[in-house]
Amino acid sequence: MYVVIAGAGAVGRSIAKELVEVRHHVMLLERSPKNFAPESVEEADWVLGDACEVATLEESGLLGCDVVIAATGDDKVNLVISLLAKTEFSVRRVVARVNDPDNEWLFDDSWGVDVAVSTPRMLAAMVEEAVGVEDLVRLMTFRRGQANLVEITLPPGSALAGRSAGELPLPSNTALVAVLRGDTVITPRGDETFSHGDELLFLANDEAEDTIRQMVKNPDGK
């Protein structure tokens, strides 16, 4: 893919390094000479300019890119970049960083955002997962909560152990997207059976989360 990242601070550079390692074509846009450091990600292309200006975006080839990532430390800037990418350049996928959780409600398709990534929310989710604060952990939110990526781990004694994915009484608009077992990522098929300690990843809306909790504890609903 051709990916344009607006903001070459620590976050933008880290994303760029990950993407170039898997052989994506990456362009980094940075308006601050202080952060303009092509030697830090030599495999990426660099442009010094303001990503809120259409001329800079044209120079960066947004018309031909697959994904734009608005990764600056300013939510207002990220919203403007997202809107320009979607409305002026018809970018297929726009991902935006949310710095202040209070602004998260703004990051939706009306501003051209396909996926909003809230760093504070993700860190909180990782902490919850690590220390077991919640039995079900919300890892990521899409479309202002219309869909969430949630994770739940099968505890010892779970009634789901030994049952197959095809037996899950999934609520409507809910999908089991992956099973993490040790170092293995499993694409769940109907005959895939669960084991204690499996981490189940679901795509679901808010209303389905309680149902998922109950389903894991008592799949027969008795």
Side-chain angles (χ1 to χ4, degrees):
M1 295 187 297
Y2 177 34
V3 183
V4 174
I5 302 172
V11 172
R13 291 196 302 270
S14 294
I15 297 170
K17 288 176 182 177
E18 293 287 339
L19 291 175
V20 297
E21 282 184 6
V22 289
R23 302 184 182 279
H24 293 301
H25 179 196
V26 176
M27 169 77 75
L28 276 161
L29 302 182
E30 178 55 52
R31 66 179 180 180
S32 170
K34 179 180 66 176
N35 290 331
F36 191 77
E39 69 281 358
S40 62
V41 190
E42 294 180 345
E43 301 89 345
D45 296 323
W46 288 70
V47 170
L48 180 62
D50 190 344
C52 290
E53 295 182 359
V54 173
T56 303
L57 299 178
E58 287 178 343
E59 181 184 349
S60 305
L62 251 69
L63 279 173
C65 85
D66 300 294
V67 180
V68 165
I69 303 174
T72 80
D74 188 323
D75 285 345
K76 297 187 295 297
V77 170
N78 289 342
L79 286 171
V80 171
I81 294 168
S82 299
L83 186 62
L84 289 174
K86 187 66 73 172
T87 59
E88 297 295 323
F89 297 93
S90 300
V91 175
R92 182 170 57 87
R93 201 73 171 158
V94 176
V95 180
R97 172 188 176 188
V98 184
N99 298 278
D100 185 346
D102 289 341
N103 295 331
E104 193 169 0
W105 65 276
L106 287 166
F107 286 73
D108 62 6
D109 53 4
S110 65
W111 280 94
V113 178
D114 294 305
V115 179
V117 180
S118 173
T119 304
R121 182 184 295 278
M122 290 186 68
L123 287 173
M126 294 302 104
V127 170
E128 288 180 355
E129 183 183 26
V131 302
V133 174
E134 293 281 348
D135 54 345
L136 184 144
V137 179
R138 185 179 296 179
L139 301 176
M140 188 173 292
T141 297
F142 305 97
R143 302 274 185 182
R144 295 178 63 190
Q146 294 179 39
N148 305 311
L149 182 65
V150 298
E151 179 267 346
I152 191 165
T153 301
L154 298 188
S158 170
L160 271 184
R163 305 283 287 270
S164 68
E167 296 179 74
L168 280 181
L170 290 174
S172 59
N173 300 320
T174 301
L176 175 64
V177 295
V179 177
L180 308 183
R181 182 175 299 152
D183 296 330
T184 305
V185 179
I186 300 169
T187 301
R189 295 180 173 83
D191 59 353
E192 182 65 45
T193 56
F194 303 118
S195 302
H196 297 136
D198 281 356
E199 297 177 51
L200 310 186
L201 299 182
F202 294 91
L203 197 60
N205 58 21
D206 290 350
E207 291 75 19
E209 291 183 3
D210 283 339
T211 305
I212 293 172
R213 287 187 180 95
Q214 293 304 317
M215 177 184 66
V216 170
K217 293 177 181 176
N218 185 9
D220 295 318
K222 298 178 181 178

